């Protein structure tokens, strides 16, 4: 029987699933998710990602079942699986969403494309997110994003006529079989569309009232933020449906709810950033490995300090706010934007660590790891994009501003509970007599900072500004802005939106 294959990737839902909808218009389908061992061996893969995936697949499987269909989850390399399937039961078309993933999934996609060409199988890839494949001109991007999110969401099919797999698949591998580490955050979010919808509803109807004013402090952020990132990364929700649900909610709120409306508007701008950042990796996959601005090559790479990296990963830098964030991440798999930025900035400036190994470590820590956002942000917070004004977060000031009473650091660092309020920000400076009185000792219960913060940050800034000031580095900036910079739309006297001048663009990401 003639049929097409729908290859599910990071789009684990039936609603607003363009690839499935297209395929069903041409007859029966065989729906496939492929667990690819080579991808799970990657330095950015973690057990929490695998378990979240399995939870999401389980939910999707039940959705299929309710519609008389079936999702097949198989283990193997994509080309080998497709080849075996084609040999046993030839299909006429392959459907999937476009994927902007890491270098491994990119190479895998090129191999699949080659296989399809060799077998004269058309591979129809539908647009995913508001990301444009083959984008020629960044100036057009905002309009393309608007168009994409404005199109109606596709309903989930009422029934799904499905083909069966022509073999019996053995049990799926475990995380350990795939070579993944055993440890995972005990308090991480769980996968699946059912939970994703609950999180979206609770955010739009209630929690988003705290979005404005609540997203910066790690105390309020876990509830004030939407917490949708992992569900977007795994595609349990489509970006478009989240944008449209938010727009509806915005329309439903009366002007009396101005604060709430401002929060929801700010949230929609983050959804725009989501795609804006993924577009960078889509347009230039090399930024996973190479400095976005090549003038920064050699900037930190040759000064790698393993002791600094180990202290950071172990949550033993000595700066309570940094160490508490590392602990929270280990337990929950999530941190708010500001604390992520502070972690990377601390790694990049006072600890002077290259963004690549830090990025791989954090990719495994973040449940919502999305390569396009992640690597762009790693570079941005490390100052290697060359187009963003460097933001250097001082962890002591962050504690002062966002955890003045030490509630956060005491939650995650038990020894801090014995430190009196006066010494919360710089506990290593506590006089010995007080250490004895409170039974909390520097060098034993509390770490000494790995470097002197002020001096090391000053040195880092000097190096950065010396490089930024070099004529050839300044000259090469324009090209990066042209390719990746955000375009603020300004209005001319004729009311025609145009891109902001390059000098303004660099500040517009945040
Ligand atoms: C170093 C670093 C690495 C990051 N890595 C990732 C990552 O791998 N995956 C990821 O989804 N986000 C990443 N972010 C962005 C941001 O921190 C998270 O999206 C956010 O904390 C997720 O929580 P939320 O869904 O509650 O966010 P909300 O504030 O509710 O935002 C809603 C959605 O908008 C998008 N978004 C929010 N902030 C940003 C941003 N600054 N840039 C791009 N998109 C954004 C996300 O999809 C998010 O789910 C990173 C930020 C930094 C500084």
């Amino acid at each position: 029987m003639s049929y097409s294959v729908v290859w599910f990737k990071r789009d684990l839902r039936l609603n607003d699933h363009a690839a499935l909808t297209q395929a069903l218009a041409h007859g029966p389908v065989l729906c496939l998710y492929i667990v690819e061992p080579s991808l799970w061996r990657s330095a950015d893969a973690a057990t929490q990602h695998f378990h979240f995936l399995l939870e999401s697949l389980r939910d999707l499987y039940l959705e299929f079942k309710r519609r008389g269909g079936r999702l097949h989850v198989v283990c193997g390399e994509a080309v080998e699986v497709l080849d075996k399937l084609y040999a046993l039961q030839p299909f006429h078309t392959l459907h999937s969403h476009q994927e902007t993933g890491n270098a491994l999934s990119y190479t895998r996609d090129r191999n699949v494309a080659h296989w399809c060409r060799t077998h004269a199988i058309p591979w129809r890839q539908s647009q995913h997110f508001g990301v444009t494949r083959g984008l020629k001109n960044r100036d057009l991007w905002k309009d393309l994003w608007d168009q994409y999110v404005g199109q109606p969401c596709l309903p989930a099919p009422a029934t799904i006529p499905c083909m069966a797999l022509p073999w019996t698949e053995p049990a799926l591998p475990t995380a350990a079989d795939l070579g993944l580490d055993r440890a995972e955050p005990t308090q991480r979010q769980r996968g699946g569309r059912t939970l994703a919808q609950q999180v979206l509803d609770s955010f739009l109807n209630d929690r988003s009232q705290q979005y404005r004013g609540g997203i910066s402090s790690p105390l309020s952020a876990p509830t004030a933020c939407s917490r949708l990132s992992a569900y977007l990364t795994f595609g349990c929700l489509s970006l478009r449906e989240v944008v449209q649900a938010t727009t509806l909610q915005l329309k439903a709120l009366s002007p009396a709810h101005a604060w709430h409306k401002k929060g929801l508007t700010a949230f929609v701008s983050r959804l725009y950033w989501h795609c804006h950042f993924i577009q960078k990796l889509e347009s230039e996959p090399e930024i996973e490995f190479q400095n976005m601005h090549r003038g920064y090559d050699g900037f930190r790479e040759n000064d790698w300090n393993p002791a600094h990296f180990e202290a950071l990963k172990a949550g033993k830098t000595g700066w309570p706010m940094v160490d508490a964030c590392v602990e929270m991440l280990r337990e929950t798999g999530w941190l708010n934007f500001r604390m992520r930025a502070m972690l990377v900035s601390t790694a990049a400036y006072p600890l002077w660590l290259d963004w690549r190994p830090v990025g791989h470590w954090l990719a495994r820590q973040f449940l919502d790891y999305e390569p396009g956002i992640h690597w762009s942000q790693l570079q941005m917070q490390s100052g290697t994009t060359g187009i963003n004004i460097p933001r250097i977060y001082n962890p002591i000031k962050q504690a002062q501003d966002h955890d003045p009473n030490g509630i956060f650091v005491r939650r995650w660092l038990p020894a801090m509970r014995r430190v009196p309020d006066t010494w919360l920000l710089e506990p290593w400076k506590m006089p010995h007599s007080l250490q004895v009185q409170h039974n909390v000792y520097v060098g034993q219960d509390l770490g000494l900072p790995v470097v002197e913060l002020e001096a090391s940050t000053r040195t880092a800034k000097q190096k950065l500004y010396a490089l930024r000031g070099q004529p050839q580095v300044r000259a090469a900036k324009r090209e990066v802005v042209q390719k990746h910079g955000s375009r603020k739309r300004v209005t001319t006297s004729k009311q025609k939106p145009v891109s902001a001048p390059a000098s303004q663009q660099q500040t517009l990401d945040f």
Side-chain angles (χ1 to χ4, degrees):
M1 192 193 214
S2 165
Y3 73 103
S4 54
V5 169
V6 183
W7 178 15
F8 281 75
K9 296 169 130 193
R10 291 190 294 140
D11 50 2
L12 303 177
R13 60 178 186 271
L14 295 181
N15 294 67
D16 203 25
H17 199 293
L20 178 64
T21 308
Q22 259 196 30
L24 282 171
H26 297 98
V29 291
L30 190 148
C31 294
L32 205 58
Y33 183 89
I34 310 174
V35 174
E36 297 160 272
S38 62
L39 264 55
W40 289 101
R41 281 196 292 273
S42 169
D44 55 7
T47 297
Q48 59 169 335
H49 303 147
F50 186 62
H51 286 165
F52 191 95
L53 166 78
L54 292 185
E55 289 151 13
S56 303
L57 285 172
R58 217 164 286 139
D59 208 42
L60 183 60
Y61 179 87
L62 294 175
E63 283 276 305
F64 264 95
K65 214 168 152 191
R66 278 194 278 278
R67 290 166 168 80
R70 170 126 196 229
L71 173 71
H72 296 279
V73 182
V74 303
C75 181
E77 299 308 323
V79 167
E80 289 164 20
V81 170
L82 293 173
D83 202 49
K84 178 174 168 185
L85 180 58
Y86 188 74
L88 294 172
Q89 190 173 277
F91 49 92
H92 59 75
T93 311
L94 175 64
H95 292 269
S96 77
H97 274 112
Q98 292 167 352
E99 180 174 2
T100 310
N102 62 11
L104 283 179
S105 69
Y106 182 44
T107 306
R108 180 274 321 273
D109 277 354
R110 286 160 60 137
N111 293 339
V112 168
H114 177 74
W115 181 89
C116 285
R117 275 194 305 276
T118 312
H119 292 79
I121 303 285
W123 181 11
R124 309 252 181 262
Q125 297 186 70
S126 308
Q127 180 174 355
H128 201 212
F129 303 138
V131 174
T132 301
R133 185 151 285 182
L135 181 70
K136 295 276 180 298
N137 182 350
R138 251 279 176 174
D139 293 346
L140 307 174
W141 191 80
K142 164 83 171 72
D143 288 343
L144 292 170
W145 188 86
D146 284 341
Q147 272 168 30
Y148 175 78
V149 299
Q151 283 160 13
C153 289
L154 301 162
T159 55
I160 309 178
C162 277
M163 300 285 291
L165 202 63
W167 68 81
T168 309
E169 185 66 12
L172 281 178
T174 62
D177 295 336
L178 293 167
L180 294 164
D181 204 357
R182 216 166 265 273
E184 68 170 324
T186 52
Q187 300 173 44
R188 71 166 169 81
Q189 288 179 287
R190 296 298 187 254
R193 183 172 170 86
T194 310
L195 287 174
Q197 282 176 306
Q198 288 170 13
V199 174
L200 177 61
D201 287 349
S202 80
F203 177 69
L204 290 182
N205 297 318
D206 176 20
R207 293 183 294 111
S208 51
Q209 293 176 64
Q210 276 87 51
Y211 196 76
R212 222 173 130 84
I215 63 174
S216 291
S217 164
L219 286 167
S220 47
T223 47
C225 289
S226 72
R227 307 302 307 276
L228 290 171
S229 50
Y231 297 113
L232 289 169
T233 290
F234 286 83
C236 303
L237 295 170
S238 87
L239 182 100
R240 181 158 53 191
E241 71 178 315
V242 177
V243 173
Q244 292 185 8
T246 312
T247 310
L248 272 184
Q249 177 71 339
L250 267 167
K251 282 188 184 145
L253 289 172
S254 72
H257 296 94
W259 185 260
H260 193 182
K261 287 177 89 133
K262 278 186 178 163
L264 286 174
T265 306
F267 171 67
V268 174
S269 65
R270 261 76 177 181
L271 297 172
Y272 170 85
W273 289 350
H274 167 277
C275 305
H276 164 76
F277 281 101
I278 298 176
Q279 184 69 53
K280 296 180 197 240
L281 187 68
E282 173 65 35
S283 299
E284 190 177 1
E286 294 79 13
I287 63 169
E288 182 183 347
F289 305 109
Q290 292 179 353
N291 292 318
M292 203 176 278
H293 186 314
R294 302 305 302 279
Y296 288 72
D297 286 0
F299 186 46
R300 292 191 185 88
E301 291 88 325
N302 305 322
D303 301 336
W304 183 250
N305 185 322
H308 286 183
F309 190 39
E310 288 311 312
L312 179 67
K313 287 194 295 179
K316 298 211 180 302
T317 63
W319 300 304
M321 199 64 170
V322 172
D323 295 343
C325 283
V326 172
E327 287 305 323
M328 173 170 165
L329 202 46
R330 203 194 324 276
E331 285 303 313
T332 68
W334 185 85
L335 269 183
N336 59 324
F337 171 79
R338 180 172 283 269
M339 294 301 116
R340 293 186 198 207
M342 180 194 70
L343 273 190
V344 176
S345 158
T346 305
Y349 294 104
L351 299 183
W352 200 247
L353 292 169
D354 179 46
W355 55 269
R356 282 154 269 226
V358 174
H360 279 131
W361 166 61
L362 285 176
R364 296 192 298 274
Q365 303 297 304
F366 294 150
L367 178 63
D368 57 26
Y369 168 56
E370 173 66 60
I373 303 178
H374 190 74
W375 294 112
S376 306
Q377 282 290 349
L378 253 295
Q379 293 219 39
M380 194 161 147
Q381 306 305 336
S382 302
T384 55
T385 64
I387 59 170
N388 305 100
I389 289 175
R391 277 206 172 183
I392 303 179
Y393 293 76
N394 177 327
I396 298 174
K397 181 166 186 311
Q398 291 303 314
Q400 207 166 22
D401 292 350
H402 299 293
D403 184 34
N405 302 314
I407 298 170
F408 178 70
V409 294
R410 284 176 172 144
R411 181 179 298 162
W412 295 105
L413 305 174
M416 287 299 291
R417 294 172 199 163
R418 307 204 293 280
V419 172
D421 285 355
T422 333
W423 300 96
L424 276 174
L425 297 178
E426 297 175 298
W428 61 91
K429 292 187 176 166
M430 230 181 6
H432 186 69
S433 58
L434 273 184
Q435 296 180 33
V436 175
Q437 187 186 335
H438 293 279
N439 189 28
V440 60
Y441 294 93
V442 176
Q444 193 176 307
D445 308 303
L446 305 165
L448 263 177
V450 272
V451 293
E452 207 283 306
L453 184 66
E454 215 174 294
S456 50
T457 307
R458 197 181 320 114
T459 309
K461 267 188 197 168
Q462 282 162 356
K463 288 188 199 169
L464 179 71
Y465 281 96
L467 184 66
R468 278 173 73 87
Q470 287 183 11
Q472 71 277 18
V473 172
R474 288 162 67 105
K477 197 168 107 179
R478 177 164 289 276
E479 204 184 309
V480 185
V481 169
Q482 200 55 37
K483 194 182 265 177
H484 296 298
S486 60
R487 311 295 204 253
K488 185 171 186 178
R489 306 214 311 170
V490 291
T491 308
T492 64
S493 54
K494 290 180 188 159
Q495 296 297 307
K496 189 175 169 223
V498 295
S499 294
S503 57
Q504 288 176 27
Q505 285 166 3
Q506 55 191 300
T507 59
L508 299 174
D509 283 328
F510 290 94

